[in-house]
Amino acid sequence: RTHASLFDVSHMCGLTLKGKDAIKFLEGLVVGDINALADGTGTLSVFTNEKGGIIDDTVVTKVNGNEVYLVVNAGCREKDLAHLNKHLQAFTAKGGDVTMDVHDDRSLLALQGPEAAEVLQQHVKEDLSKLYFGMFTKIDIAGSPCFVTRTGYTGEDGFELSIPNADAVALAKALTSDSRVRLAGLGPRDSLRLEAGLCLYGNDLNEDITPVEAGLTWTIAKSRRDACDFLGGDVIKKQLADGVKQRRVGFVCKGAPARQHSDVITPEGQKVGEITSGAFSPCLKKNIAMGYVDKPFAKAGTELKVVVRGKASDAVVTKMPFVPVHYHKPS
């Protein structure tokens, strides 16, 4: 959060959908209005199942009207590709024009932090100050053809760089040769995303949690809320109208760090929720957590307790993000 870090996130799965019906196909599976995006911009979205539950979360980028670039989670790769292929076969059998290309020939590096732009600018001709948060471009970096998205998973400014496998090590060495950049692993990646209030699939999101319950209603485009013409849309439309019984919230905790599946209880001992992610925050020097609680207990400032290894410790419901986020947006 002071300089810059480089993460190797090549385990993530990048893929491209192409064809005149690519956007129409994808909008049957995700909750966003992809067609309304400007060319070269993206958004967080979710794949839903027939129950409205989240199959995976994904960053979707509209490259142009006939091309969409997605990055999906590594742990969901097999089920995501099976899900896409199943619906792709049905869609193309009816005459739909769309093909899918999985980028196993490319690696993914994430350069994150307040000095990331200055570091990367040394290796590209284009003016990165005009590439704002959520924007995408195809440019050469140190002579290698890259997909560059101004995004990340830390709450800081940064870039995700999709690069041909053969050039990945050389680019990583070039970036880390700058004294402002250090390599970082999945441990800091997890604490950084938690501090920024960002969900981790498998912890905070799963196939039994809908985007409305997950506090991701904003990913459901307003232009699509009447029709809800995506998988599970009938369930989600009802939740949008009637509300939900549980909410995803943040916690600042005392005692031992709360972990996934720790019970959240009232001071009187009634279970009202469960922790889905928890860690020590290196920036705040406090234990923080994320989880779901019954709606009456979701207000910031509510005093509850979290049970860790049989011992109940004080926890206060807290607004997220826990730390200020810094994204490069037009002033």
Side-chain angles (χ1 to χ4, degrees):
R1 298 201 190 283
T2 307
H3 302 290
S5 293
L6 185 70
F7 300 82
D8 179 1
V9 288
S10 302
H11 55 291
M12 303 283 282
C13 177
L15 61 99
T16 294
L17 298 171
K18 288 185 178 179
K20 67 179 178 63
D21 297 320
I23 292 174
K24 180 182 177 183
F25 165 71
L26 184 60
E27 285 190 345
L29 304 179
V30 300
V31 300
D33 187 346
I34 311 307
N35 190 54
L37 292 172
D39 289 1
T41 67
T43 185
L44 179 73
S45 195
V46 295
F47 290 105
T48 47
N49 59 27
E50 287 80 359
K51 301 180 298 181
I54 299 171
I55 294 174
D56 198 6
D57 58 324
T58 176
V59 173
V60 179
T61 300
K62 180 184 176 184
V63 181
N64 56 54
N66 298 310
E67 182 177 349
V68 185
Y69 171 63
L70 301 90
V71 177
V72 301
N73 285 301
C76 299
R77 174 193 167 104
E78 297 307 320
K79 73 168 182 176
D80 286 356
L81 293 181
H83 180 68
L84 281 161
N85 276 315
K86 171 188 167 185
H87 289 278
L88 190 65
Q89 288 175 5
F91 188 83
T92 54
K94 295 178 181 176
D97 175 27
V98 56
T99 60
M100 183 169 73
D101 179 24
V102 180
H103 299 302
D104 287 337
D105 57 335
R106 305 183 75 88
S107 299
L108 194 64
L109 301 175
L111 182 65
Q112 300 283 297
E115 295 183 342
E118 289 180 20
V119 171
L120 187 60
Q121 187 64 70
Q122 301 170 107
H123 301 278
V124 303
K125 296 175 183 175
E126 292 76 10
D127 181 1
L128 294 176
S129 70
K130 293 181 173 63
L131 191 76
Y132 297 109
F133 178 68
M135 292 176 69
F136 169 94
T137 188
K138 294 181 181 181
I139 57 175
D140 285 356
I141 301 178
S144 181
C146 293
F147 305 162
V148 179
T149 312
R150 195 151 196 164
T151 189
Y153 193 46
T154 62
E156 297 295 329
D157 184 24
F159 305 85
E160 290 190 353
L161 313 172
S162 174
I163 180 171
N165 288 338
D167 300 329
V169 173
L171 179 57
K173 286 181 176 177
L175 294 171
T176 52
S177 69
D178 192 303
S179 62
R180 294 169 289 184
V181 182
R182 289 187 181 179
L183 283 169
L186 295 180
R189 187 168 163 83
D190 190 52
S191 62
L192 287 162
R193 70 92 192 168
L194 183 55
E195 288 176 340
L198 301 173
C199 295
L200 174 63
Y201 193 86
N203 282 46
D204 314 302
L205 306 174
N206 61 47
E207 295 202 25
D208 295 317
I209 296 171
T210 71
V212 182
E213 291 168 332
L216 297 177
T217 299
W218 64 269
T219 65
I220 307 167
K222 290 181 180 177
S223 58
R224 304 197 65 192
R225 292 183 190 180
D226 280 341
C228 280
D229 50 350
F230 42 78
L231 286 177
D234 53 339
V235 176
I236 289 172
K237 188 170 184 175
K238 189 172 189 303
Q239 288 185 339
L240 289 170
D242 300 342
V244 292
K245 294 180 180 178
Q246 61 175 358
R247 287 284 177 86
R248 179 173 62 90
V249 298
F251 300 90
V252 172
C253 309
K254 294 183 178 178
R259 298 297 187 200
Q260 187 180 20
H261 303 310
S262 297
D263 284 347
V264 179
I265 61 174
T266 65
E268 295 74 35
Q270 175 194 354
K271 181 179 176 180
V272 294
E274 187 174 290
I275 298 297
T276 53
S277 288
F280 175 74
S281 164
C283 292
L284 299 176
K285 305 290 189 283
K286 297 176 182 177
N287 292 327
I288 60 173
M290 185 188 298
Y292 289 83
V293 295
D294 295 343
K295 192 174 177 181
F297 302 92
K299 187 176 180 180
T302 302
E303 295 182 357
L304 297 167
K305 290 182 179 290
V306 173
V307 181
V308 181
R309 295 190 293 274
K311 184 177 180 181
S313 299
D314 292 343
V316 178
V317 175
T318 307
K319 287 184 178 179
M320 296 184 286
F322 295 98
V323 301
V325 295
H326 304 102
Y327 299 127
H328 180 62
K329 296 183 177 182
S331 55

